[in-house]
Amino acid sequence: MSDIGDWFRSIPPITRYWFAATVAVPLVGKLGLISPAYFFLWPEAFLYRFQIWRPFTATFYFPVGPGTGFLYLVNLYFLYQYSTRLEAGAFDGRPADYLFMLLFNWICIVITGLAMDMQLLMIPLVMSVLYVWAQLNRDMIVSFWFGTRFKACYLPWVILGFNYIIGGSVINELIGNLVGHLYFFLMFRYPMDLGGRNFLSTPQFLYRWLPSRRGGVSGFGAPPASMRRAADQNGGGGRHNWGQGFRLGDQ
């Protein structure tokens, strides 16, 4: 048990709480401690009955059963793997910025869920994080099932197809990819590659709550550390090298 505890404590803090909630809430529903009917995002219940907890529980709940257990475990693995890599990599030392990314993606997904009657939000949020990681490491070669290898930028779309095979739907994955693309475009590509203004900025109260652990300017006006290092190596001018990242398993 000590090995499990050490492994759990080694997970970056925001990912750790997200991972724990995504295990605990389905377990509560599976054991019947709380009816799963209270966990789904039902627009009528949220908007007219003021059951304001539903966007939160719908983010962490997944109906685990004989037909859905494998899909749940696969996406739980993606959550752990890519949220850990992103939090400990591009957002290392900047927990406020990482939490803001999750909040931005989550709000976009909740709004989409209410508009499209999406009752579960776990997979879209996981896919949005995976998409951001893939774009920040787009030229890195990654390995997938059965030894297939390709650039990281294709990974979200490969997983979309994979989840379609094992789950039969791509709406959740597609929404996650689109939200991840929206965040990546507004936060990185538009201001840094296209010279546009910064539309996203981490609120100061998040910095007071989760102070950065590194010196210098922190926020969405500056690229992550991996991009800053790449820009410095290239002389600091011109277009940014979006392919710079880290190797799988180097955490």
Side-chain angles (χ1 to χ4, degrees):
M1 293 298 293
S2 62
D3 292 339
I4 296 178
D6 292 341
W7 166 78
F8 184 72
R9 286 187 292 270
S10 71
I11 303 174
I14 296 175
T15 301
R16 185 193 314 150
Y17 289 116
W18 183 13
F19 182 89
T22 308
V23 172
V25 174
L27 184 61
V28 168
K30 187 68 174 178
L31 296 177
L33 301 178
I34 300 177
S35 172
Y38 289 103
F39 295 151
F40 293 92
L41 181 62
W42 289 339
E44 181 181 354
F46 173 67
L47 296 173
Y48 302 112
R49 300 180 195 169
F50 302 104
Q51 296 179 0
I52 59 175
W53 66 83
R54 288 187 178 273
F56 301 96
T57 55
T59 303
F60 303 123
Y61 179 69
F62 197 87
V64 181
T68 60
F70 181 69
L71 181 62
Y72 166 74
L73 291 176
V74 166
N75 283 277
L76 188 65
Y77 169 78
F78 290 153
L79 186 163
Y80 163 74
Q81 187 81 341
Y82 294 101
S83 182
T84 295
R85 292 181 184 276
L86 202 54
E87 185 177 356
F91 289 87
D92 184 29
R94 300 188 297 129
D97 290 340
Y98 187 65
L99 180 59
F100 180 75
M101 184 204 72
L102 290 178
L103 290 174
F104 174 83
N105 290 0
W106 176 73
I107 290 171
C108 292
I109 290 169
V110 168
I111 293 172
T112 304
L114 291 172
M116 297 182 59
D117 196 21
M118 293 170 50
Q119 300 180 4
L120 297 171
L121 309 180
M122 171 190 167
I123 292 178
L125 187 59
V126 170
M127 289 299 300
S128 72
V129 170
L130 189 150
Y131 185 94
V132 173
W133 178 88
Q135 293 304 311
L136 292 176
N137 300 272
R138 58 180 300 113
D139 288 331
M140 186 174 62
I141 302 300
V142 298
S143 297
F144 198 62
W145 292 56
F146 308 113
T148 55
R149 294 169 60 84
F150 44 82
K151 289 185 177 182
C153 60
Y154 301 121
L155 181 61
W157 307 106
V158 172
I159 291 176
L160 183 149
F162 176 76
N163 281 0
Y164 175 75
I165 293 173
I166 65 176
S169 175
V170 298
I171 297 299
N172 289 325
E173 292 79 3
L174 182 60
I175 295 300
N177 287 353
L178 293 177
V179 168
H181 180 76
L182 176 64
Y183 168 83
F184 180 80
F185 181 81
L186 293 177
M187 194 282 210
F188 293 117
R189 187 163 181 81
Y190 183 67
M192 292 179 0
D193 252 13
L194 303 179
R197 58 170 294 188
N198 291 324
F199 288 101
L200 297 178
S201 179
T202 304
Q204 288 301 313
F205 77 88
L206 287 180
Y207 287 127
R208 291 192 293 268
W209 183 32
L210 298 170
S212 299
R213 297 191 299 274
R214 289 180 176 176
V217 178
S218 177
F220 286 141
S226 60
M227 288 187 178
R228 291 197 297 269
R229 289 193 296 269
D232 292 341
Q233 293 169 1
N234 292 331
R239 293 175 60 86
H240 293 275
N241 187 349
W242 295 104
Q244 289 296 321
F246 47 88
R247 294 180 180 275
L248 288 171
D250 283 351
Q251 298 304 315

